[in-house]
Amino acid sequence: MSDGKRAESAGNGAAGPFTGKLAVVTGGGSGMGRELVRQLAAHGCSVAACDWHADTVAAAAAMARADAPPGVRVSGHGCDVSDEAQVLRFRDELLDAHGGDHVDLVFSNAGIGGAASFVKDSRQEWERTFAVDWWGVYYCARAFLPLLIASGDGVLVNTSSVNGFWGSLGPGVPNTAYSTAKFAVRGFSEALIEDLRVNAPQVRVAVVMPGHVGTDILVNTRRAHGLPAPEDLSDAKLAEARAGLTALGLLAKGAADDEVRQRAAELENGFRDKAPVSAAQAATIILEGVRSGAWRILIGEDAKLIDTAVRAKPEATYDYAELFSGITRARAAGTPEQSAP
Ligand SMILES: NC(=O)c1ccc[n+]([C@@H]2O[C@H](COP(=O)([O-])OP(=O)(O)OC[C@H]3O[C@@H](n4cnc5c(N)ncnc54)[C@H](O)[C@@H]3O)[C@@H](O)[C@H]2O)c1
């Protein structure tokens, strides 16, 4: 295995589990992907990051390089992971930029939301969401598995979601395109465990299931589907936003149009700023999970709580009052929630 231009080791401190390796990160221009790029580089790991916004991933790469030890290479590439030809071009570009014939880690992190309703939302939006969240992960696995095998010690890290084990976001809040894709990502990753053991033991797989993490995913999702900013909502979109915000309990019936716009903006900003876990904390949890050899990496107490609840009461998964009843009682009694469901 030739290392070409790749740094053999990097960092001023002791070598860690990522030192001198090469990681691929998709969706590296924002949120958890950007933090993975920064933290991997700071750990002495070279990174090839992609995003369909070439400017944001270039900025993330520059930021990561500034904090990285000498010898670490960080490259940013424009690539839409839902287009296989672009994924293959990204692979060829990064091999050229970093040298060598393998990659050690692949973080299939890029994702968007959208098309919550199979009934009401457009087929185009539904299939766009599914294409990014499922086909993006699939094309990256196809493109990079041979390079992970060539590493001799490769790790494929696919990002699913709590919507990979819960096909809803609670009462009145469906999430069909996203959940379908994230269940597929989880299923694919779990199915790969035995396949890799038998057929490619040089590689292992981990699946990341975040709960609420503070990122710009709502803003990026809106942009990905070409939807207007809250202040530019048309009458039709204003009515949709009104219905959605009312279902979430964030808007009183009969609220003025300006209040709808204001609540929509607050939702986007609040999702990022008021989350229980930051993007940087999430990236640290992911890297710690990879380092420890975990195959399932849950992020946040909400993810752990939902996971525990649906396993304990599978038939109550969509009967929310029943699903969380033990937890509600435990909260009221002040007893530990972990034992509640
Ligand atoms: N934030 C959360 O609460 C949360 C919860 C569960 C799962 N997730 C998942 O975590 C992952 C990261 O999300 P995030 O919250 O950091 O979001 P984010 O929007 O901050 O970052 C995602 C990045 O992926 C990029 N991207 C989207 N589609 C792409 C495509 N087709 N090709 C290349 N790049 C693309 C975006 O431009 C963005 O830079 C996603 O898979 C998301 O579904 C997030």
Side-chain angles (χ1 to χ4, degrees):
M1 173 185 332
S2 82
D3 251 351
K5 294 179 238 170
R6 197 173 307 168
E8 274 176 19
S9 67
N12 300 322
F18 302 112
T19 309
K21 300 202 166 184
L22 174 61
V24 171
V25 178
T26 71
S30 173
M32 286 181 256
R34 180 170 55 200
E35 293 300 330
L36 282 169
V37 174
R38 293 173 66 168
Q39 292 184 25
L40 283 162
H43 285 304
C45 184
S46 289
V47 186
C50 82
D51 204 288
W52 63 10
H53 294 302
D55 55 339
T56 61
V57 77
M63 211 185 302
R65 274 194 297 272
D67 292 340
V72 170
R73 288 172 180 271
V74 187
S75 58
H77 308 256
C79 168
D80 176 349
V81 294
S82 69
D83 177 341
E84 189 170 18
Q86 291 192 38
V87 172
L88 295 175
R89 194 194 63 207
F90 168 47
R91 179 200 61 190
D92 294 345
E93 272 179 24
L94 78 87
L95 286 177
D96 193 41
H98 290 262
D101 56 5
H102 70 278
V103 300
D104 303 294
L105 300 140
V106 173
F107 294 86
S108 247
N109 160 83
I112 57 171
S117 172
F118 184 73
V119 181
K120 280 173 47 193
D121 289 322
S122 76
R123 177 169 178 162
Q124 188 189 15
E125 187 177 320
W126 206 99
E127 292 179 359
R128 183 82 196 103
T129 304
F130 185 76
V132 172
D133 292 346
W134 162 245
W135 291 108
V137 169
Y138 175 81
Y139 292 143
C140 287
R142 282 269 171 227
F144 292 113
L145 184 62
L147 298 176
L148 288 169
I149 292 173
S151 145
D153 184 22
V155 192
L156 174 63
V157 186
N158 294 326
T159 294
S160 175
S161 162
V162 288
N163 282 130
F165 48 70
W166 201 42
S168 153
L169 285 175
V173 195
N175 205 16
T176 65
Y178 188 80
S179 298
T180 308
K182 295 298 187 179
F183 266 75
V185 171
R186 175 182 156 217
F188 174 55
S189 305
E190 293 202 18
L192 274 180
I193 292 173
E194 194 58 22
D195 189 15
L196 294 175
R197 270 184 198 149
V198 175
N199 295 307
Q202 313 88 328
V203 184
R204 64 188 170 86
V205 63
V207 61
V208 178
M209 292 188 278
H212 180 186
V213 177
T215 72
D216 272 322
I217 192 168
L218 296 187
V219 178
N220 290 329
T221 291
R222 168 165 62 67
R223 290 186 184 142
H225 294 296
L227 298 171
E231 61 273 19
D232 300 324
L233 286 171
S234 65
D235 288 351
K237 290 288 173 195
L238 198 72
E240 275 178 33
R242 179 187 293 281
L245 290 164
T246 308
L248 286 169
L250 299 175
L251 195 71
K253 283 207 170 102
D257 288 354
D258 276 350
E259 198 181 337
V260 179
R261 293 189 177 91
Q262 195 185 332
R263 291 283 173 274
E266 283 170 7
L267 182 66
E268 288 185 350
N269 296 334
F271 186 88
R272 181 193 57 229
D273 299 335
K274 295 182 182 161
V277 177
S278 70
Q281 288 169 327
T284 302
I285 293 166
I286 294 169
L287 294 184
E288 175 52 28
V290 170
R291 193 204 57 72
S292 74
W295 70 263
R296 68 198 303 268
I297 302 170
L298 272 60
I299 301 178
E301 290 310 308
D302 51 352
K304 291 176 193 164
L305 196 138
I306 296 169
D307 179 48
T308 306
V310 299
R311 283 169 189 276
K313 298 182 189 175
E315 190 58 30
T317 298
Y318 303 104
D319 177 347
Y320 310 109
E322 169 63 16
L323 185 66
F324 297 118
S325 61
I327 295 161
T328 315
R329 272 198 305 276
R331 271 199 180 141
T335 50
E337 289 173 3
Q338 293 89 310
S339 59

